[in-house]
Amino acid sequence: MTATTRTTPRPSRNPDLIRGVGKYSRSQMYHKRGLWAIKAKNGGVFPRHEKKAAADKPAEKAPKFYPADDVKKPLLNKRKHKPTKLRSSITPGTVLILLAGRFMGKRVVFLKQLPSGLLLVTGPFKVNGVPLRRVNQSYVIGTSTKIDISGVNVDKFDDKYFAKEEKKRNKKTEGEFFEADKEEKKTYPEGKKEDQKAVDTPLIKALEAVPDLKAYLGARFSLKAGMKPHELIF
């Protein structure tokens, strides 16, 4: 015989007249549940079940060596990375306005969203001086202007592409320490220059096909007296 599962809930022996107030009192429920009979059967005391003795665990050997200092155990990180949801107004080819950072007020072209959730954008560099860079979508305004970027290949760009290279610093001797350090000029990698040209060349061709679009991207966005941002249509 298999135990059948109850589909309907069992009605309470003490239904509520109103919320928190039962129909029967505590003493009435004592007799209704038959607790007096259980108590009388066991000599006026409710029966108690003794806990089972736990099995003896084998003795563990103490370690021979102890660390000199307290070693902190790293906490488990159970957070799962959730991909950042892209705004519906931002699609590949959308012209964005940067609201913060070095290029604040510049108009850029959105290329794609990176795995970290940041947006990959470019000026292009020859038009307004904005190179390939990552921006947070919280600091951009999406406009209604869109550009055809079907000829632009951005498959090679990811978050690792923008990671900074770690340089090892050599220890200075006493003579070098007191001498004035000659700072070397930082040069932009040639590989990244070629990548910038490869992205900008087809993009500039698409800009030249639309009248006044190149000048629109080159102009900086700014608010003037009397302009209300919440009433502007971008």
Side-chain angles (χ1 to χ4, degrees), residues 223-227:
L223 293 173
K224 297 180 181 179
M227 295 177 67

Side-chain angles (χ1 to χ4, degrees), residues 24-232:
Y24 304 108
S25 65
R26 188 175 180 182
S27 60
Q28 286 176 318
M29 285 303 299
Y30 178 81
H31 289 278
K32 193 174 180 68
R33 291 172 62 190
L35 297 177
W36 60 274
I38 297 172
K39 200 171 183 179
K41 189 176 180 181
N42 292 277
V45 181
F46 285 113
R48 293 183 180 180
H49 301 283
E50 295 181 359
K51 292 182 180 180
K52 293 181 180 179
D56 295 334
K57 293 182 179 180
E60 295 181 359
K61 290 184 178 180
K64 293 182 179 179
F65 302 99
Y66 292 93
D69 300 323
D70 293 334
V71 179
K72 292 183 179 180
K73 293 183 179 180
L75 298 175
L76 292 175
N77 187 4
K78 296 183 179 180
R79 292 181 181 179
K80 293 182 180 179
H81 175 69
K82 295 181 181 179
T84 307
K85 189 177 180 181
L86 188 64
R87 257 188 276 165
S88 59
S89 60
I90 301 176
T91 55
T94 303
V95 175
L96 307 176
I97 300 172
L98 300 180
L99 300 178
R102 179 183 172 188
F103 302 102
M104 182 173 60
K106 295 277 188 177
R107 293 180 172 92
V108 294
V109 181
F110 169 63
L111 300 176
K112 72 171 184 177
Q113 186 181 26
L114 300 173
S116 63
L118 299 176
L119 310 182
L120 177 66
V121 299
T122 185
F125 183 75
K126 283 190 176 181
V127 176
N128 54 20
V130 182
L132 282 164
R133 63 189 287 109
R134 299 176 295 173
V135 295
N136 194 318
Q137 64 177 334
S138 301
Y139 302 103
V140 299
I141 296 176
T143 66
S144 57
T145 308
K146 294 190 178 181
I147 301 168
D148 181 19
I149 61 166
S150 56
V152 182
N153 185 11
V154 291
D155 294 336
K156 68 177 293 184
F157 300 105
D158 54 7
D159 293 299
K160 292 181 181 179
Y161 179 85
F162 297 95
K164 293 183 179 180
E165 296 180 359
E166 294 183 1
K167 293 183 179 179
K168 294 182 179 179
R169 294 184 179 180
N170 297 326
K171 291 183 178 180
K172 296 180 180 180
T173 60
E174 291 183 4
E176 292 175 347
F177 182 78
F178 292 103
E179 290 179 2
D181 296 330
K182 296 180 180 180
E183 295 183 358
E184 296 180 359
K185 292 183 179 179
K186 294 182 180 180
T187 57
Y188 198 71
E190 290 295 330
K192 291 193 175 182
K193 287 182 181 179
E194 295 298 326
D195 294 337
Q196 184 73 53
K197 289 180 182 178
V199 172
D200 287 357
T201 302
L203 196 57
I204 291 173
K205 288 182 180 179
L207 294 177
E208 292 173 347
V210 182
D212 300 329
L213 188 55
K214 197 172 180 180
Y216 172 72
L217 284 174
R220 185 185 288 269
F221 171 78
S222 61
L223 293 173
K224 297 180 181 179
M227 295 177 67
K228 299 177 181 179
H230 61 281
E231 292 182 356
L232 296 177

